Every structure is written in C-alpha cells, then in structure tokens.
Amino acid sequence: MPTLEELIKADLPHITDVRRDIHAHPELGYKEVRTSEVVKRELGEVGVQHVGGLAKGTGVLGFIPATVEGGRTVALRADMDALPILENTGAKYTSTNPGVMHACGHDGHTSILLGTARALSRLDERPNNVLLLFQPAEEGGAGGKAMCEDGALDGSVLGKKADIIFGLHGYTGLPVGKVGTRTGAMLASADEFTIKIQGKGGHAAMPHTGVDPIVVASHIVVALQTIASRGVNPLDSIVVTIGKFHGGTAHNVIPDTVDLHGTLRTLLADTRAFGEKRVREIATSVAHALGAKAEVEFLGGYPVTCNDSEATDKFRRIARDTFENGLVLDVAPVMGAEDFSFYGDHAPACFYWLGIVPHGQNSYPNLHSPEFDFNDEALEVGIRAMTALALSTDA
C-alpha cells in the first residue's frame, strides 16, 4: 500500500490539471454550475459519498467515514467562486469567460480539497470521519452561511455532525511551504452600507438657489474618516471606505441626489457596533448642517473571522509535525473579510494561511488583481496540511 505522501505526489499532475481547468472556466457566486459538476465528478471517481444542490444550488458536501468507531468528525472547507475581473495573467489556461476570473485562488482551494479527498479515500485506516464542504459565493454572497443553513455541518444532510472545522486561503504574505494562523480575530468583519443624500438641484451657475448634494457628499466622505482617526483607540482597527460615489448627469447641472456606497471593517464586535452608529450619525448630521438630508442603510455583511483557541492550538501542533520549520506561529490579522466566519457559530473553527509566493521571489501579484494566479507549487502543501488535519487523533 503506498504511503500517504506517495499518494499525494502521484495525484499532483491530475490535481494541477483540475486546478487549471477550473481556472479556465471561472464562475461567479451562486453560478458555479460547471465547477460544482467538476467537484461531483471528481468525488464520484474515487467513491466519495456526496450531495449536491446545497446553498442555493451549487454547494457540494462530501463525506468520508472513519474506518474505526469513536473517531471525531473533522470538516474541511473550500470555496469555488470567481470574481468579476478581466484576467491579465497571460496563462495558457486563462479565463474563457471574459470579465470573470479566479483572482482570489478559489480554484486552488477547491483543487486542494479534491486532492485531499482522493488521498483520504484510498487509505486503509482513517481514525476520523471527514466532511468536505465545497461552498459557493464566498465573495460577498455569504455562501458559507447558506451551507450552514442547509445543514452541511449538523449531520442532517450527509455524514455526522462536525466536531471541528478548518479552512485555508492562499496568501501572498508567505512563501510556498509556510502556513500561518493566529488565535482570535484573523480577519475583519465587513458590512456594506449605502448613503443617499437628498439635496435640491439647479443650474451650476446658480448654486445658491439649491442644495448641492455633491458638496454635501464630499463633506460626508471626509468626515467619515474621523471615525478611525479620532473615534477609535489607535491600537484598535477600523476601516471606513467609500468605494462608490455616484451623482449627476451633466457638467453644468447640480443634481438632486447623490448615492454613496461603502464598507465598514473592524476586528472587534464593540467597535463594529460603534462604527455603524457613527456612520449613521455623521452622515445624517453633516447633511442636516448643510441643508440636505441623508438616509443610511446597512446591508449586512460578514462577522469577524475569529479562530477558536483549542482548534488553533490543534492546528499548530499538527502543522509543526507536518512541516519542518513551516509554521508561522502568530500572523497579524488583516482587514479583509471571509465568510468562513459563519462556520465558527456551528463548530470550533480555525482558518489558516497557505503561502503561495514562489521560492526566490519577494513579491507576488495581489489577491483580486488581474495578474493573480494561484501558484501550483502550493497544491501539495495544502493537501498535506488538510490530510494531516483530517487524520490527526490529537485531541
């Protein structure tokens, strides 16, 4: 019987081909129809039980049972969706869907979990049950929440209730061969909001006869930055960003309204609540002071991705045993957000970074950029990490 390491290495050419095929056929959130079919095909070829049609239609749940009684149930998660970006990598397997690309590495995440499934399915001894979650719509669609709502972790769909869950993400801050995590807040919450400013339009040459909502909106954008600079402890973290500013139809016309669209990101629940309160107060008060009205609407978002202490300690112990000098003990949190956060409400959870920067390089194209491409050299590292987590009997 080949060793686990031999099984993983033997599968790498196939998994690399799968990754590049998924990369060439990217699909946006909740539209991952082809990707879902690839996942089901790959699981079926190695005899892994699975159920599709979850999370509004494209989510897939796989289950590999333990070969002994009394094992725990370990859940492993991968996301499948792409982004609305025009690819500029020059790869031979570049996107065949113009304007959509895998700019965040989800093609790599999905392929790693498929490689994990292939390796685990061929072992004679498995001490734990393993749930394999292939979720849609991480990029703003809360596909993780939808998977939980459909029962992916509670044993009602397939397999058994998860005792613990792990997820990974390719990371341009670490080289290939390194993995890293932290206890507590790993990624920020992210809340989307809109601000509609109602002014009074008129002629550009006679601004005094109306209320210019563009000027009002400009004051609001600047004033919102005082939430971070003057409202929150400098050792805390909060980001308020207006990413969309829309108003007007002509250069010589003052419009009636302006729409702002932004995000609020924090690492602490109390700071999140404070930030929302101040966005509302500043927008409405500044507008009122300048003779306009502002309506603020928060559209919901992702909570903080907070790593459970025991799950994270377990990850560190396993990573030390799996990778010689490959573990980064305590990475800094980042203000990006992840819907892996929703899984932590259902099972002890640990999210970790997988280094993807090639050896000898000091930098790599950023996530969400047109030049980004998941580094295939990291596939083996990711599969080794996930299989080790699935097989560990370390309590």
Side-chain angles (χ1 to χ4, degrees), residues 92-135:
K92 293 180 179 179
Y93 46 86
T94 193
S95 171
T96 58
N97 185 3
V100 180
M101 72 168 288
H102 272 292
C104 201
H106 296 185
D107 50 338
H109 306 166
T110 298
S111 302
I112 285 170
L113 198 54
L114 288 172
T116 300
R118 289 179 68 90
L120 293 175
S121 68
R122 287 177 286 176
L123 294 178
D124 289 334
E125 296 183 5
R126 293 185 300 267
N128 299 314
N129 304 298
V130 183
L131 288 168
L132 306 161
L133 283 73
F134 297 87
Q135 70 147 87

Side-chain angles (χ1 to χ4, degrees), residues 73 76 85 147 296 343 378:
T73 299
L76 307 173
I85 298 174
M147 290 289 282
V296 181
Y343 295 113

Side-chain angles (χ1 to χ4, degrees), residues 106-393:
H106 296 185
D107 50 338
H109 306 166
T110 298
S111 302
I112 285 170
L113 198 54
L114 288 172
T116 300
R118 289 179 68 90
L120 293 175
S121 68
R122 287 177 286 176
L123 294 178
D124 289 334
E125 296 183 5
R126 293 185 300 267
N128 299 314
N129 304 298
V130 183
L131 288 168
L132 306 161
L133 283 73
F134 297 87
Q135 70 147 87
E138 186 279 324
E139 298 289 355
K145 181 180 181 182
M147 290 289 282
C148 292
E149 290 173 344
D150 280 359
L153 292 182
D154 65 14
S156 62
V157 176
L158 180 66
K160 297 185 177 182
K161 185 179 185 299
D163 294 307
I164 195 168
I165 184 168
F166 298 96
L168 62 73
H169 202 296
Y171 187 50
T172 58
L174 292 175
V176 171
K178 295 281 188 180
V179 294
T181 192
R182 66 178 286 109
T183 302
M186 177 91 170
L187 293 102
S189 61
D191 293 296
E192 182 181 359
F193 64 85
T194 62
I195 303 173
K196 186 177 185 67
I197 296 105
Q198 180 68 53
K200 181 180 179 183
H203 198 293
M206 294 175 281
H208 61 290
T209 64
V211 177
D212 190 340
I214 290 180
V215 172
V216 176
S218 299
H219 278 279
I220 290 173
V221 171
V222 173
L224 288 176
Q225 303 314 305
T226 64
I227 298 174
S229 66
R230 292 297 181 269
V232 172
N233 188 322
L235 299 180
D236 196 355
S237 297
I238 185 170
V239 176
V240 182
T241 297
I242 299 298
K244 182 178 178 181
F245 189 129
H246 185 265
T249 57
H251 75 284
N252 59 350
V253 176
I254 294 172
D256 282 323
T257 62
V258 165
D259 292 314
L260 303 178
H261 202 155
T263 64
L264 168 70
R265 299 168 184 265
T266 72
L267 291 174
L268 298 175
D270 288 347
T271 308
R272 185 185 187 190
F274 172 80
E276 178 176 341
K277 174 174 175 288
R278 290 300 290 149
V279 167
R280 294 183 184 278
E281 291 173 345
I282 288 172
T284 55
S285 298
V286 169
H288 178 74
L290 297 176
K293 293 181 180 179
E295 295 180 1
V296 181
E297 182 180 6
F298 272 77
L299 307 176
Y302 294 174
V304 175
T305 300
C306 190
N307 281 343
D308 175 80
S309 59
E310 291 185 8
T312 307
D313 286 344
K314 179 181 178 70
F315 171 81
R316 290 189 177 112
R317 291 193 297 270
I318 294 168
R320 284 194 191 97
D321 292 340
T322 306
F323 304 109
E324 183 178 356
N325 301 318
L327 172 65
V328 179
L329 279 176
D330 196 18
V331 298
V334 300
M335 298 307 288
E338 247 286 348
D339 75 348
F340 186 80
S341 54
F342 291 106
Y343 295 113
D345 292 335
H346 300 267
C350 176
F351 195 67
Y352 64 96
W353 296 134
L354 174 72
I356 59 173
V357 178
H359 297 292
Q361 289 186 210
N362 295 322
S363 63
Y364 200 71
N366 287 329
L367 300 172
H368 291 210
S369 75
E371 291 77 27
F372 178 83
D373 185 17
F374 188 89
N375 184 359
D376 288 330
E377 293 180 13
L379 292 172
E380 180 180 0
V381 182
I383 297 170
R384 288 179 62 199
M386 285 303 206
T387 53
L389 292 165
L391 295 171
S392 174
T393 56

Side-chain angles (χ1 to χ4, degrees), residues 25-90:
H25 300 90
E27 297 168 301
L28 297 176
Y30 294 122
K31 297 179 180 180
E32 308 92 333
V33 176
R34 183 185 186 278
T35 308
S36 180
E37 290 301 318
V38 170
V39 168
K40 289 185 287 186
R41 180 198 73 205
E42 290 292 314
L43 295 177
E45 285 182 356
V46 291
V48 173
Q49 296 175 262
H50 59 277
V51 173
L54 301 177
K56 302 182 183 181
T58 55
V60 180
L61 178 66
F63 179 67
I64 302 175
T67 57
V68 296
E69 292 293 330
R72 305 181 80 200
T73 299
V74 179
L76 307 173
R77 171 269 201 171
D79 37 15
M80 301 186 295
D81 56 321
L83 285 157
I85 298 174
L86 182 64
E87 182 165 355
N88 187 32
T89 63

